[in-house]
């Protein structure tokens, strides 16, 4: 029997005022699996990620991570997730090492300096440990944001446009990082507008259109052209 | 211990950010200096008038500079969505409030110490014999002011009209604190013993306790929005 999915979304609906942003979304993501959420602006990708991250409560339906309901047990869910969204959750006037030290302490972890240095080395920022984040590129900020998860060890990564603003080297690094995260038994839900090679980390594609999942399909057999064709087909029909 | 360590992490982070950026301290010092110049020009050298209005002026300076400082408390959390990071950190969120409150209290007390020193110089006020009593009143008044100010700064941090809303919400709640601090400061500056203002001090202690406890109990709901 297959193990229970790490992420389970059933009949999820979210309305803001009279606007229905999500409407009956269902999605399962298993350990070691990555799902890419594709869809036009306003399709509900970010809202779905925010519900999974316990930042927004659903109007109807349920979202659960590791068997814990996101709306009813947000504290338990927060111990299982790592969110990388548009803001990198880093303080501009602190150094990379100070940022890590702060987040570790806030999570109640007492880590020696060697562990923090190792976390920075894991994201290839060890040479910049003493530099202020204000001087960092977008890619370095993204890596610093991910460094927090080296010691927090989330089981699910929620990523909103993780490749946006990254150069080729940073993209390659992130792809490898996410592949390693999956290989370690983690699950990934990633919202993206990209049809490029970044989709290679996804095992499944889910196309969201007007708050509904219009297509949920394995990615392995699909070429980039296939993805673009399917995307055009579903978004043009749905919008 | 974890709670105290989490609160200390927030204090350490806020003070480090402030030491590097100096945004709040610089603004508060220049603002205080400006206030003193205005007071000095308005009142002139008349010592009788000065003695009557000094406690009020002192607290007006504290309140106005405090409004400026407290209003900025959570702005640093808006940058790079750090607010989300605080929210997603597992554990009791009131530790974040306690840390923010302690950081604000330290900053405000530094500014207030400088402001008192400038009052002494500008208005030729002798606080030599009354400074322990004056310090006690200032510390008690500042705790209450910072406790509510920190909570309301969090409430209004994500609101568009926060610059307007923050003082409008904060000042009415501060009336008991203001009344007690101005009365107690007046008596202390006139050389009366602390026992003479014991009722005002008790009111300050009670208000401080209530405001801090309310802040600790409600901060999680404020942060969650």
């Amino acid at each position: 029997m297959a193990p229970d999915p790490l992420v389970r979304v059933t009949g999820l609906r979210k309305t803001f005022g009279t606007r229905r942003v999500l409407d009956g979304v269902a999605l399962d993501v298993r350990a070691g699996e990555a799902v890419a959420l594709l869809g036009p602006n306003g399709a509900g990708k970010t809202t779905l990620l925010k519900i999974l991250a316990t930042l927004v409560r659903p109007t109807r339906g349920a979202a659960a991570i590791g068997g814990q309901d996101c709306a009813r047990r947000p504290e338990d869910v927060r111990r299982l997730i790592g969110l990388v969204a548009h803001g990198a959750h880093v303080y501009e006037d602190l150094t990379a090492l100070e940022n890590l030290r702060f987040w570790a302490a806030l999570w109640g972890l007492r880590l020696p300096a060697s562990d923090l240095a190792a976390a920075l080395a894991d994201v290839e920022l060890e040479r910049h440990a003493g530099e202020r984040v204000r001087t960092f590129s977008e890619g370095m900020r993204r890596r610093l944001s991910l460094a927090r998860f080296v010691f927090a060890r989330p089981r699910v990564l929620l990523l909103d446009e993780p490749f946006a603003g990254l150069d080729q080297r940073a993209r390659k690094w992130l792809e490898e990082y996410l592949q390693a995260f999956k290989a370690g038994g983690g699950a990934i839900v990633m919202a993206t507008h990209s049809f490029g090679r970044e989709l290679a980390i996804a095992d499944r594609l889910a196309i969201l259109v007007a708050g509904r999942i219009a297509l949920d399909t394995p990615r392995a057999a699909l070429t980039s052209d296939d993805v673009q064709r399917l995307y055009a087909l579903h978004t043009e029909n749905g919008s | 211990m974890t709670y105290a360590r989490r609160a200390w992490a927030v204090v350490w982070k806020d003070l480090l950010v402030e030491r590097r950026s100096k945004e709040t301290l610089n603004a508060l010092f220049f603002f205080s200096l400006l206030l003193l110049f205005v007071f000095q020009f308005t009142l002139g050298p008349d010592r009788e008038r000065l003695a009557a209005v000094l406690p009020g002026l002192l607290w007006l300076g504290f309140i106005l500079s405090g409004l400026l400082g407290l209003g900025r408390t959570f702005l640093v959390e808006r940058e790079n969505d750090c607010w989300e990071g605080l929210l997603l950190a597992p554990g009791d969120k009131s530790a974040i409030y306690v840390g923010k409150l302690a950081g604000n209290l330290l900053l405000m007390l530094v500014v207030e110490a400088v402001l008192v020193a400038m009052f002494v110089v500008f208005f030729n006020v002798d606080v030599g014999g009354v400074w322990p009593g004056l310090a006690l009143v200032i510390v008690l008044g500042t705790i209450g002011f910072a406790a509510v100010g920190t909570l309301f700064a969090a409430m209004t941090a994500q609101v568009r009209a926060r610059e307007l809303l923050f003082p409008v919400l904060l000042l009415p709640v501060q009336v008991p604190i203001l009344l007690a601090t101005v009365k107690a400061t007046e008596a202390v500056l006139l050389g009366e013993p602390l026992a003479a203002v014991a009722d005002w001090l008790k009111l300050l202690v009670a208000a401080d306790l209530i405001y801090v406890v309310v802040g600790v109990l409600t901060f999680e709901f404020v942060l969650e929005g």
Side-chain angles (χ1 to χ4, degrees):
Chain A
M1 200 171 85
D4 284 343
L6 264 181
V7 179
R8 167 155 280 178
V9 177
T10 49
L12 199 68
R13 178 186 289 181
K14 179 64 189 174
T15 54
F16 291 110
T18 56
R19 187 165 164 256
R20 192 171 289 184
V21 180
L22 293 175
D23 189 9
V25 170
L27 184 74
D28 281 353
V29 188
R30 297 186 182 282
E33 191 179 34
V35 172
L37 297 172
L38 296 169
N41 291 332
K45 304 185 294 294
T46 298
T47 304
L48 177 54
L49 284 181
K50 286 194 166 182
I51 289 173
L52 290 171
T54 72
L55 295 171
V56 170
R57 291 175 72 89
T59 308
R60 197 179 289 178
I65 288 183
Q68 308 290 342
D69 189 277
C70 294
R72 293 200 190 104
R73 304 184 67 89
E75 278 299 304
D76 294 328
V77 170
R78 286 166 188 169
R79 294 178 198 279
L80 299 174
I81 60 165
L83 172 71
V84 178
H86 298 294
H89 301 171
V90 290
Y91 294 94
E92 299 277 341
D93 284 310
L94 298 187
T95 66
L97 190 62
E98 288 164 349
N99 265 288
L100 275 196
R101 187 177 295 151
F102 170 69
W103 288 114
L106 199 65
W107 283 334
L109 304 170
R110 189 196 290 263
L111 298 178
S114 57
D115 282 9
L116 297 173
L120 284 176
D122 268 22
V123 297
E124 297 177 9
L125 282 177
E126 66 272 30
R127 286 189 301 113
H128 305 280
E131 294 171 19
R132 287 193 209 180
V133 169
R134 191 170 291 287
T135 64
F136 280 17
S137 67
E138 193 57 39
M140 291 163 81
R141 284 160 198 259
R142 203 74 49 89
R143 276 187 276 157
L144 179 57
S145 190
L146 287 166
R148 297 173 304 154
F149 306 140
V150 173
F151 48 79
R153 299 184 188 283
R155 293 178 66 196
V156 177
L157 277 184
L158 305 169
L159 310 171
D160 197 357
E161 297 289 353
F163 294 97
L166 300 188
D167 62 21
Q168 290 304 313
R169 187 171 166 272
R171 278 169 185 252
K172 187 168 182 301
W173 179 89
L174 185 56
E175 280 172 43
E176 289 169 1
Y177 176 91
L178 296 177
Q179 290 290 7
F181 182 79
K182 274 200 316 175
I188 298 172
V189 183
M190 171 178 84
T192 181
H193 283 292
S194 170
F195 298 116
R197 74 170 203 219
E198 300 84 20
L199 282 186
I201 68 145
D203 301 287
R204 278 167 40 220
L205 304 179
I207 299 179
L208 262 174
V209 183
R212 290 168 181 268
I213 292 194
L215 177 74
D216 185 345
T217 181
R219 185 214 47 89
L222 300 175
T223 65
S224 178
D225 286 344
D226 292 337
V227 175
Q228 292 204 38
R229 188 177 49 75
L230 284 170
Y231 182 86
L233 181 72
H234 287 281
T235 54
E236 280 163 19
N237 285 347
S239 54
Chain B
M1 273 309 287
T2 304
Y3 187 94
R5 201 162 62 239
R6 295 176 68 230
W8 169 246
V10 176
V11 180
W12 170 81
K13 183 265 293 175
D14 279 356
L15 294 182
L16 198 57
V17 167
E18 180 54 35
R19 201 185 81 188
R20 302 250 167 90
S21 67
K22 295 182 184 67
E23 283 177 11
T24 305
L25 270 182
N26 280 346
L28 292 186
F29 282 137
F30 281 109
F31 181 72
S32 304
L33 202 61
L34 192 68
L35 269 182
L36 281 172
F37 273 116
V38 172
F39 292 160
Q40 175 76 2
F41 282 127
T42 312
L43 293 168
D46 186 340
R47 296 206 38 97
E48 265 185 38
R49 262 172 75 194
L50 186 63
V53 297
L54 192 63
L57 288 187
L58 199 59
W59 278 97
L60 186 63
F62 292 169
I63 296 296
L64 290 178
S65 57
L67 279 176
L68 261 184
L70 289 169
R72 302 176 60 85
T73 303
F74 285 92
L75 292 190
V76 68
E77 311 300 346
R78 285 163 52 101
E79 209 171 22
N80 296 326
D81 289 338
C82 289
W83 182 281
E84 267 179 11
L86 296 180
L87 189 58
L88 293 178
D92 191 343
K93 301 293 182 287
S94 67
I96 298 169
Y97 169 77
V98 171
K100 284 275 179 195
L101 171 59
N104 284 335
L105 206 53
L106 278 173
L107 276 183
M108 285 178 70
L109 288 174
V110 167
V111 172
E112 285 168 0
V114 174
L115 204 56
V116 169
M118 290 198 291
F119 258 90
V120 169
V121 173
F122 272 63
F123 296 103
N124 196 21
V125 182
D126 182 15
V127 294
V130 299
W131 72 264
L134 185 63
L136 178 68
V137 174
I138 289 174
V139 169
L140 287 178
T142 307
I143 290 173
F145 186 53
V148 187
T150 303
L151 187 68
F152 284 7
M155 269 184 197
T156 54
Q158 309 281 44
V159 178
R160 205 182 309 160
R162 62 181 170 277
E163 286 87 359
L164 176 71
L165 207 55
F166 178 59
V168 166
L169 284 173
L170 179 61
L171 291 178
V173 183
Q174 291 295 326
V175 168
I177 295 266
L178 280 176
L179 201 64
T181 48
V182 172
K183 289 291 182 190
T185 306
E186 188 180 9
V188 166
L189 286 176
L190 287 172
E192 291 180 25
L194 279 179
V197 290
D199 288 344
W200 291 119
L201 294 181
K202 283 180 196 165
L203 175 64
L204 276 178
V205 171
D208 288 354
L209 275 175
I210 291 168
Y211 290 164
V212 171
V213 169
V214 167
V216 166
L217 293 178
T218 59
F219 186 72
E220 177 154 8
F221 302 104
V222 171
L223 196 65
E224 296 271 359

